[in-house]
């Protein structure tokens, strides 16, 4: 067929306008409708156009949505999608009913119940997401709070007849108590109750509340103790920093460990290093005495320092922490006096706040035994007695001190002789209770050596006169103590009247003479 025949057959296919309308290159037959700017910006027009487009695109879905969804009547069963939705809905309802039966069976009459809400298929709210949807944590259901805010009327109950509910209802109170747990301290872990309808009884809530308060106070005490106090066989951060500085400066080579603990202090063993100055020699082995800063043991011991004329002006009842440093300083001064008098005692190396470094009485990290723990022969026991008698007289006459806590617990046996330790509570004889402390020391020493079999041991009254140089002639202990109190009263009146401190005696002078 030639081109002329094709061109001639083309007009026979149909009328001209029909062919032109189907031709993609032809001009459009529809004419544009002119409208104003107000019609274009009309919201109602936009909704109508959107509705027309949805009806044209989804005719079956719209038709199905117009009728009832669940009932079997008036439903076009020819749609496979509709049948599948109906079957799925029925299956979800049966599944939820089974979950409710299991939930009721497990909970029973228990005060604390569990819920399978998260596993149910049919929910009372629409879960379709939108563009303005917020975070899921904000939209998730909170079982602690009611869906609708309910207010308890002034009369204290709601409802009528059998449906009455008071503010003391078990379920209402249980949920309120669960919600009130959020007010506990953040350190008290109450767990995550999201998704669980917890009901706490008043008894359980009160117990948890009391425990939360106790834990809060305990946490505060532990923090205070950790930051400002030394514990048993341990040191606080500030004390540890002092020890680190001593080691870093070369004064101490290393700190080996704890060798003794007491009510007032903890003693550590350390190996000495090199001193920064040539005139000061550090012993090979040192004892580090760290005074505890808990203040518990110092509350009843202020009588040893508040009436001591060397520290009376610096004593502060309102700031007990200063007593601890003053206590360490007092032991350093007392040890220095004893060392100058030639009394066997630890040698002071350095004092840093409440840390006192002394020479170690012992050998190879093994401390010398206390006099109460060592077994001595009769000759050594007699030798120790006369040595202690001589040291007490030196302490009183040359050092102008009274030990105030002298016993077999504060005396060490090393290298065949007795060493005195723990002189932080030592006071001068002119202390308002100095003679009472001396008489107590004499009693402790006399009783220990009399039990040890020393026949030459004097009784406490004879030992007191021998040490102090006084001549108190009393037949019994009651009259003897009465005369001691009278002498202390006379000394206190003399200080108050004349304003003189009798504690300012020279280190090598005679003991004070108490004239009746």
């Amino acid at each position: 067929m030639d081109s002329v025949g094709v061109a001639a057959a083309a007009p026979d296919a149909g009328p001209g306008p029909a062919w032109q309308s189907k031709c993609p290159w032809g001009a459009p037959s529809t004419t544009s409708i002119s409208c104003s700017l107000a019609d274009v910006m009309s919201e109602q027009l936009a909704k109508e156009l959107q509705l027309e487009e949805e009806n044209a695109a989804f005719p079956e879905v719209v038709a199905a949505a117009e009728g009832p969804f669940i009932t079997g009547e008036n439903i076009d069963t020819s749609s496979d999608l509709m049948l599948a939705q109906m079957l799925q809905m029925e299956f979800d309802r049966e599944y939820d009913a089974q979950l409710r039966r299991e939930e009721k069976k497990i909970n029973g009459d228990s005060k604390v119940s569990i819920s399978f809400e998260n596993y149910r298929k049919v929910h009372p709210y629409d879960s379709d997401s939108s563009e303005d949807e917020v975070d899921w944590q904000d939209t998730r259901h909170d079982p602690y709070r009611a869906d609708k805010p309910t207010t308890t009327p002034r009369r204290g109950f709601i409802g009528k007849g059998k449906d009455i509910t008071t503010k003391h209802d078990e379920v209402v109170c249980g949920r309120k108590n669960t919600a009130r747990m959020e007010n506990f301290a953040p350190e008290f872990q109450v767990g995550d109750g999201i998704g669980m309808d917890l009901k706490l009884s008043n008894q359980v809530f009160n117990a948890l509340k009391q425990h939360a308060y106790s834990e809060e106070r305990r946490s505060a005490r532990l923090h205070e103790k950790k930051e400002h106090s030394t514990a048993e066989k341990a040191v606080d951060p500030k004390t540890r920093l002092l020890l680190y500085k001593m080691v870093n400066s070369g004064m101490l080579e290393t700190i080996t460990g704890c060798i003794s603990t007491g009510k007032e202090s903890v003693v550590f063993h350390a190996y000495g290093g090199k001193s920064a100055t040539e005139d000061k020699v550090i012993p090979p082995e040192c004892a580090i005495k760290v005074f505890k800063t808990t203040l518990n043991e110092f509350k009843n011991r202020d009588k040893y320092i508040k009436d001591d004329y060397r520290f009376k002006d610096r004593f502060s009842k309102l700031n007990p922490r200063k007593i601890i440093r003053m206590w360490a300083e007092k032991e350093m001064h007392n040890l220095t006096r004893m060392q100058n008098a030639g009394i066997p005692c630890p040698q002071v190396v350095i004092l840093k706040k409440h840390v006192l470094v002394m020479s170690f009485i012992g050998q190879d990290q093994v401390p010398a035994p206390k006099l109460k723990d060592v077994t001595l022969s009769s000759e050594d026991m007699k030798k120790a007695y006369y040595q202690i008698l001589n040291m007490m007289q030196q302490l009183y006459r040359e050092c102008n001190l009274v030990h105030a806590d002298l016993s077999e617990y504060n005396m060490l046996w090393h290298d065949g002789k007795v060493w005195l330790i723990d002189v932080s509570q030592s006071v001068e004889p002119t202390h308002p209770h100095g003679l009472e402390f001396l008489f107590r020391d004499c009693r402790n020493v006399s009783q220990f050596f009399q039990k040890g079999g020393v026949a030459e041991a004097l009784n406490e009254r004879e030992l007191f006169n021998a040490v102090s140089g006084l001549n108190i002639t009393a037949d019994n202990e009651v009259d003897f103590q009465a005369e001691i109190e009278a002498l202390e009263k006379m000394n206190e009146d003399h200080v108050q009247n004349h304003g003189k401190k009798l504690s300012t005696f020279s280190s090598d002078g005679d003991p004070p003479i108490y004239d009746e």
Side-chain angles (χ1 to χ4, degrees), residues 221-294:
R221 289 195 301 268
L222 289 178
H223 180 74
E224 173 73 14
K225 188 173 183 180
K226 179 180 178 181
E227 294 295 330
H228 303 289
S229 66
T230 54
E232 188 74 12
K233 299 183 181 181
V235 294
D236 61 321
K238 294 183 179 180
T239 306
R240 191 180 299 112
L241 182 61
L242 292 176
L243 299 180
Y244 285 159
K245 289 182 178 180
M246 293 181 184
V247 175
N248 293 335
S249 63
M251 181 181 301
L252 300 177
E253 182 178 351
T254 181
I255 300 175
T256 57
C258 178
I259 58 176
S260 177
T261 59
K263 296 182 298 182
E264 303 167 358
S265 61
V266 182
V267 182
F268 296 91
H269 176 270
Y271 286 104
K274 298 180 180 180
S275 176
T277 57
E278 297 180 357
D279 56 343
K280 191 172 186 180
V281 179
I282 299 178
E285 291 185 272
C286 297
I288 305 174
K289 189 171 185 179
V290 180
F291 288 85
K292 293 182 179 180
T293 56
T294 53

Side-chain angles (χ1 to χ4, degrees), residues 69-70 75-93:
F69 184 74
I70 300 301
I75 293 181
D76 186 10
T77 56
S78 61
S79 175
D80 294 339
L81 176 61
M82 188 61 61
L83 290 175
Q85 290 179 351
M86 293 175 59
L87 292 175
Q88 184 64 39
M89 182 65 69
E90 191 66 19
F91 175 79
D92 292 343
R93 288 186 174 182

Side-chain angles (χ1 to χ4, degrees), residues 117 125 136-147 194-195:
E117 183 67 26
Y125 51 86
W136 65 272
Q137 294 182 354
D138 298 332
T139 58
R140 194 170 184 179
H141 177 63
D142 188 357
Y144 297 157
R145 299 177 182 176
D147 295 336
I194 297 296

Side-chain angles (χ1 to χ4, degrees), residues 126-135 139:
D126 187 12
S127 61
D128 292 339
S129 60
S130 62
E131 296 180 357
D132 299 334
E133 185 178 2
V134 295
D135 195 335
T139 58

Side-chain angles (χ1 to χ4, degrees), residues 470 486-487 490 512-516:
L470 300 175
L487 292 176
M490 291 174 57
I513 304 300
Y514 294 89
D515 239 350
E516 296 184 7

Side-chain angles (χ1 to χ4, degrees), residues 498-514:
H498 298 81
K500 296 181 180 180
K501 299 179 180 179
L502 298 183
S503 60
T504 57
F505 293 118
S506 60
S507 60
D508 56 350
D510 296 332
I513 304 300
Y514 294 89

